[in-house]
Amino acid sequence: MNTLPAKAAFAATLACLLATSVAAAPEDPVREVMSVTVSNWAGDAPFQDLFSQERLDRLFSDDFKAAYARAMTTPDAEEMGTPFDYDVVVNAQDGCPLRDVTIAPAVSEGDATVVDVRFRFLTCSGEPPANQAWSETQFVIVDEAGKDRIDDIIATNPEGMTLSARDQLDAVTDTSAD
């Protein structure tokens, strides 16, 4: 008796069960964004566009995508290729490779879920304790048709300056209307 077909069937069944039992988590889109951000700041790999159309479609909410699309119609965004003149995850234009990146478990807050990320991005410049300061970024996640999508990125740099990516997109659009 050949047990190979039985073993193959068992393996296939087990694979299906494992695949269906591992549900997507609200932290998943955050992990991808942080992976891209860490890579971009490391400087040892080609730059990846965090807001490529493919990532926008897959990782971001419909409201975020609409705000981004409106902001991309402004003359500055069309010229630069982005509505942002800084890294919205790090809340800075200059820095060092990210260190000590931690992604906290998601926490429900009303209709949204928030995922907190902490990291250091000034470790290669300046003197302690300033170069050891923590930055924090909150990702606001919403459920759209059963899929977790990033609705906002709220970054706080070591000096305490907080910026919302959604607010910045709206500000760019409001400014260009004047």
Side-chain angles (χ1 to χ4, degrees), residues 38 41-42 90 94-99 120-126 131:
V38 166
W41 282 89
V90 176
D94 299 312
C96 309
L98 275 58
R99 301 281 182 247
R120 300 175 202 254
F121 80 99
L122 297 173
T123 57
C124 69
S125 67
N131 71 353

Side-chain angles (χ1 to χ4, degrees), residues 6 16 21 30 41 53 56 97-98 114 136 150 164:
C16 287
S21 68
V30 174
W41 282 89
Q53 191 61 54
L56 280 168
L98 275 58
V114 176
E136 296 183 19
I150 298 169
S164 156

Side-chain angles (χ1 to χ4, degrees), residues 60-82:
F60 292 87
S61 72
D62 290 342
D63 288 344
F64 188 97
K65 289 185 289 191
Y68 190 88
R70 283 190 305 274
M72 280 301 295
T73 65
T74 65
D76 286 344
E78 286 177 348
E79 182 179 324
M80 291 187 311
T82 179

Side-chain angles (χ1 to χ4, degrees), residues 106-129:
V107 176
S108 293
E109 292 187 10
D111 292 339
T113 300
V114 176
V115 177
D116 289 322
V117 176
R118 293 186 73 210
F119 52 88
R120 300 175 202 254
F121 80 99
L122 297 173
T123 57
C124 69
S125 67
E127 298 292 324

